[in-house]
Amino acid sequence: MEKYGYRFSFGPWNIHEGADSFGPSVRPSRDFESKLAVFKELGFDAVQFHDDDAVPGLDDLSATQIRERAQAMHQRLSELGLVVEFVAPRLWEHPMTIDGAFTSNDASAREYALERAKKAIDISHELGTNLLVLWLAREGTYLREAKDAYQATHQLLEALNALLEYDPQVRIAIEPKPNEPMDLAYIPTIGHGVALGLQTIDPSRMGVLMESAHAILAGLDPSDEIAFAMSFGKLLSVHLNDQNGLKYDQDRAFGSVDLRRAFNQVRVLDTHLYWSAGMVGLDVKAIRTQPAPIAIKHLRNSLHTFLRLVEVVRSIDQQAVKALIAQRDYEELDWLILDSLMRRQGSP
Ligand code: XUL
Ligand code: MN
């Protein structure tokens, strides 16, 4: 559904089985085809893929097999009128990446990570996108003295340069996150992601993906993270969601914890015309208690919340805002925003 100029995406992992660190799955898996039906049912435009969501078991397949399977996936998506937003190499589950991928102390593990990311680029070609997302999940430490952060930064740069060289078309969005699964990650914030990109051999093809929950876990405001990236022309994608404080990564539905924080993310995106450049990606998980048939409402809710907040943003009288700022009457401005948020808006 293109609405107010925006297009929407999510990844198949956002319809999940509900397992957490302390308990097993609570819902049966849905096959990929039935997940595709959810994209259509809820009015999404695009799919975000891990490399092995698109081509399962790719580590054991030849380059030709990978290409053929990715082509078949592309064909199926085209039949449904869906496009692909990005492909992300899953660099955190294979035994080779147990202690890091590009920053592993083991040279053969670093080699594996690079080859795997190149395969993800090959898959992205077949799926019709040139956007590669790198969530640097295990680039960090469980034990700080176990690695050299200075050297790790150079290893990350070398890997990025190798990928930029491998494919002259690829654009790379780094998705920062400060912790989980590692205790401390090397690229915890948007600022780190942007800075790393600027040091590569082709900064014009480097950018970031801002995830709300990750920013909150870093103690930062997601709308400021968005604004920082956009002011550098570096916001290539977003993972909108929500997060209740500094605890495990929750991936709650967008706006479900802090509506004003969500409003401010939409405000910055809309004010700076994000709709003309990128898609609104969601990275949200259903609450663990939800049975399978209704464990898609978090996606519906997030999409509707985003659209309703676009209406709120666009309904605000900017002259009134300017006048209040000029008068430094911030309490009145506070009320103007709260009043706008509490006013009943039409449903999308
Ligand atoms: C992890 C996370 C991932 C990436 C995709 O916290 O956000 O789902 O977004 O690899
Ligand atoms: Mn994410």
Side-chain angles (χ1 to χ4, degrees):
M1 114 175 27
E2 190 175 309
K3 192 142 191 210
Y4 304 131
Y6 287 98
R7 289 181 302 155
F8 296 87
S9 64
F10 70 87
W13 64 90
N14 290 125
I15 302 173
H16 79 129
E17 295 79 15
D20 66 17
S21 306
F22 300 96
S25 297
V26 292
R27 296 181 279 268
S29 298
R30 291 177 74 140
D31 63 29
F32 186 74
E33 191 61 28
S34 89
K35 291 185 182 184
L36 287 181
V38 176
F39 281 81
K40 297 306 290 177
E41 180 189 330
L42 297 181
F44 281 79
D45 307 279
V47 184
Q48 310 172 347
F49 276 111
H50 292 130
D51 50 3
D52 57 359
D53 296 325
V55 181
L58 80 167
D59 276 322
D60 302 318
L61 300 177
S62 70
T64 311
Q65 286 172 317
I66 291 175
R67 208 171 323 116
E68 285 169 359
R69 289 180 200 194
Q71 282 165 358
M73 175 64 78
H74 191 215
Q75 174 63 29
R76 180 67 192 125
L77 297 174
S78 305
E79 286 163 12
L80 293 170
L82 290 167
V83 297
V84 176
E85 187 196 3
F86 67 69
V87 176
R90 199 192 293 274
L91 293 172
W92 51 92
E93 283 185 5
H94 194 276
M96 286 298 280
T97 59
I98 192 165
D99 195 24
F102 304 128
T103 65
S104 172
N105 287 326
D106 177 349
S108 62
R110 296 200 298 275
E111 180 74 10
Y112 165 82
L114 201 55
E115 289 312 309
R116 174 83 186 233
K118 288 178 181 172
K119 285 181 187 172
I121 292 177
D122 296 343
I123 291 170
S124 73
H125 278 162
E126 302 304 335
L127 294 178
T129 178
N130 60 11
L131 185 59
L132 188 80
V133 167
L134 291 180
W135 171 43
L136 301 170
R138 295 198 191 274
E139 315 302 3
T141 52
Y142 299 109
L143 182 78
R144 219 41 178 168
E145 297 81 7
K147 288 186 190 174
D148 177 341
Y150 178 102
Q151 190 187 12
T153 308
H154 286 285
Q155 286 167 333
L156 287 172
L157 264 180
E158 275 166 33
L160 292 170
N161 285 339
L163 297 176
L164 290 167
E165 255 169 16
Y166 177 70
D167 175 8
Q169 304 300 324
V170 73
R171 294 176 304 138
I172 301 177
I174 295 174
E175 179 178 350
K177 182 177 181 183
N179 59 275
E180 201 190 48
M182 304 307 270
D183 174 39
L184 288 163
Y186 288 134
I187 305 298
T189 71
I190 290 294
H192 289 80
V194 169
L196 199 62
L198 291 176
Q199 284 294 95
T200 63
I201 52 168
D202 192 354
S204 73
R205 291 190 283 137
M206 291 296 307
V208 287
L209 179 156
M210 193 296 313
E211 171 160 331
S212 325
H214 297 179
I216 297 160
L217 285 171
L220 298 171
D221 179 74
S223 72
D224 283 353
E225 289 283 86
I226 288 171
F228 184 85
M230 288 189 90
S231 72
F232 278 71
K234 291 298 180 194
L235 191 69
L236 300 186
S237 187
V238 289
H239 269 172
L240 300 185
N241 56 19
D242 214 346
Q243 169 75 25
N244 192 11
L246 299 179
K247 50 187 87 165
Y248 65 95
D249 184 14
Q250 297 187 306
D251 295 339
R252 293 285 305 276
F254 182 56
S256 67
V257 177
D258 187 334
L259 194 60
R260 187 163 184 175
R261 188 166 58 194
F263 160 78
N264 275 302
Q265 291 170 73
V266 177
R267 184 177 63 84
V268 175
L269 289 169
D270 202 56
T271 306
H272 300 289
L273 313 182
Y274 178 76
W275 53 267
S276 65
M279 289 195 200
V280 177
L282 302 174
D283 195 2
V284 289
K285 300 251 164 44
I287 296 170
R288 190 165 187 267
T289 51
Q290 299 308 102
I294 58 170
I296 58 170
K297 291 186 178 178
H298 57 305
L299 290 158
R300 179 203 65 185
N301 294 357
S302 299
L303 174 64
H304 288 189
T305 299
F306 184 92
L307 289 170
R308 295 277 284 267
L309 287 173
V310 172
E311 290 172 6
V312 176
V313 167
R314 294 186 183 180
S315 74
I316 287 178
D317 178 349
Q318 290 306 326
Q319 292 309 321
V321 170
K322 276 199 186 112
L324 292 172
I325 292 170
Q327 294 155 25
R328 221 198 281 156
D329 192 348
Y330 293 172
E331 293 294 354
E332 195 61 40
L333 177 57
D334 196 23
W335 178 248
L336 187 151
I337 300 298
L338 290 171
D339 186 43
S340 304
L341 282 169
M342 290 186 287
R343 216 168 266 176
R344 186 153 163 65
Q345 310 287 325
S347 298

